[in-house]
Amino acid sequence: MKIYETRQAPNPRRLRIFLAEKGIDLADFEIEQLDLAAGDNLSETFKTKNPMGGVPVLEFDDGHCLSESMAICRYFEATHPDPPLMGDSAESQAMIEMWNRRMELHLLLPVAMAFRHTTGHFSDREAVFPDYGADRAKTATKMFDFLDRHLADESHIAGDDYTVADITALAAIDFARVIDLRIGDRPHLAAWYERVSARPSAKA
């Protein structure tokens, strides 16, 4: 199998952390790095693998491809169920899905939009709206505050156990440095961040 990714991007990092937690060695895959700034992901060749142009993409040995980071993670959750990172019961699966979606929609996506619209990093291929970017940065900041309150009573994002929701939050918070957003004086969020960052998978 082959993985197409971009080392600095948050979604490929989510997949790398997920695989590391599963004990799946990246050395078992052929890895191709794409330069998003240069538009590698917009080539006609790559779009036959993912017409949406995003990374990561998992290419199976027969040539068909799976894209969207959480879809790829679900594949590996099913093929390597231990340790469970997406829940092991109907209730836990639903709870983790809820929290992971919150991390995607209210943290990772706002950070990504703030980056794209305040820096103009992809202004050669998309319209840029700085005011929208600034608004998304405010939304991400509010989510930092929310998580600090939430983690006062929880050891992890979705409860007692480390899950894919923690992976999404970690990738988003680390990527938020590109918009100069830091944890700062948020002690509960900082304590959680220290715990999850100390896991070997965080270095993946």
Side-chain angles (χ1 to χ4, degrees):
M1 289 190 285
K2 182 174 182 177
I3 294 174
Y4 298 84
E5 67 146 28
T6 300
R7 186 77 187 170
Q8 301 85 354
N11 281 316
R13 186 175 181 221
R14 287 203 286 172
L15 176 58
R16 291 196 306 273
I17 294 173
F18 193 92
L19 293 176
E21 287 287 338
K22 290 289 185 181
I24 301 172
D25 194 339
L26 277 178
D28 294 338
F29 301 87
E30 180 183 353
I31 306 293
E32 182 169 333
Q33 295 292 330
L34 300 183
D35 185 341
L36 300 187
D40 290 352
N41 59 313
L42 304 178
S43 71
E44 290 304 314
T45 298
F46 183 72
K47 284 195 168 184
T48 64
K49 304 177 187 303
N50 180 11
M52 301 297 104
V55 288
V57 169
L58 175 67
E59 185 173 30
F60 295 91
D61 292 339
D62 65 2
H64 78 278
C65 294
L66 182 63
S67 58
E68 305 304 333
S69 54
M70 285 301 100
I72 300 172
C73 287
R74 285 199 176 277
Y75 169 80
F76 287 110
E77 179 83 350
T79 57
H80 297 74
D82 294 317
L85 296 174
M86 293 181 162
D88 55 7
S89 68
E91 183 177 352
S92 66
Q93 287 170 2
M95 190 66 67
I96 292 165
E97 177 72 15
M98 176 185 76
W99 278 104
N100 189 57
R101 289 292 286 163
R102 286 173 173 173
M103 296 305 101
E104 288 183 321
L105 296 175
H106 303 291
L107 183 59
L108 181 56
L109 184 60
V111 168
M113 291 299 99
F115 166 66
R116 292 170 77 143
H117 288 276
T118 61
T119 68
H121 193 71
F122 298 114
S123 59
D124 61 331
R125 68 203 67 168
E126 65 183 12
V128 174
F129 302 97
D131 288 346
Y132 174 69
D135 178 75
R136 295 297 82 200
K138 290 179 182 177
T139 295
T141 302
K142 290 177 181 177
M143 196 60 181
F144 273 42
D145 294 334
F146 170 83
L147 286 174
D148 188 54
R149 295 190 297 271
H150 172 66
L151 290 164
D153 301 313
E154 301 285 353
S155 60
H156 294 89
I157 299 295
D160 292 336
D161 298 323
Y162 180 91
T163 71
V164 69
D166 296 287
I167 294 174
T168 297
L170 176 62
I173 288 170
D174 280 342
F175 190 64
R177 295 169 186 163
V178 299
I179 59 168
D180 201 27
L181 179 56
R182 303 289 195 277
I183 289 173
D185 186 21
R186 297 178 177 91
H188 306 299
L189 181 58
W192 165 86
Y193 180 81
E194 183 177 356
R195 287 194 300 275
V196 296
S197 295
R199 299 175 74 93
S201 64
K203 299 178 177 61

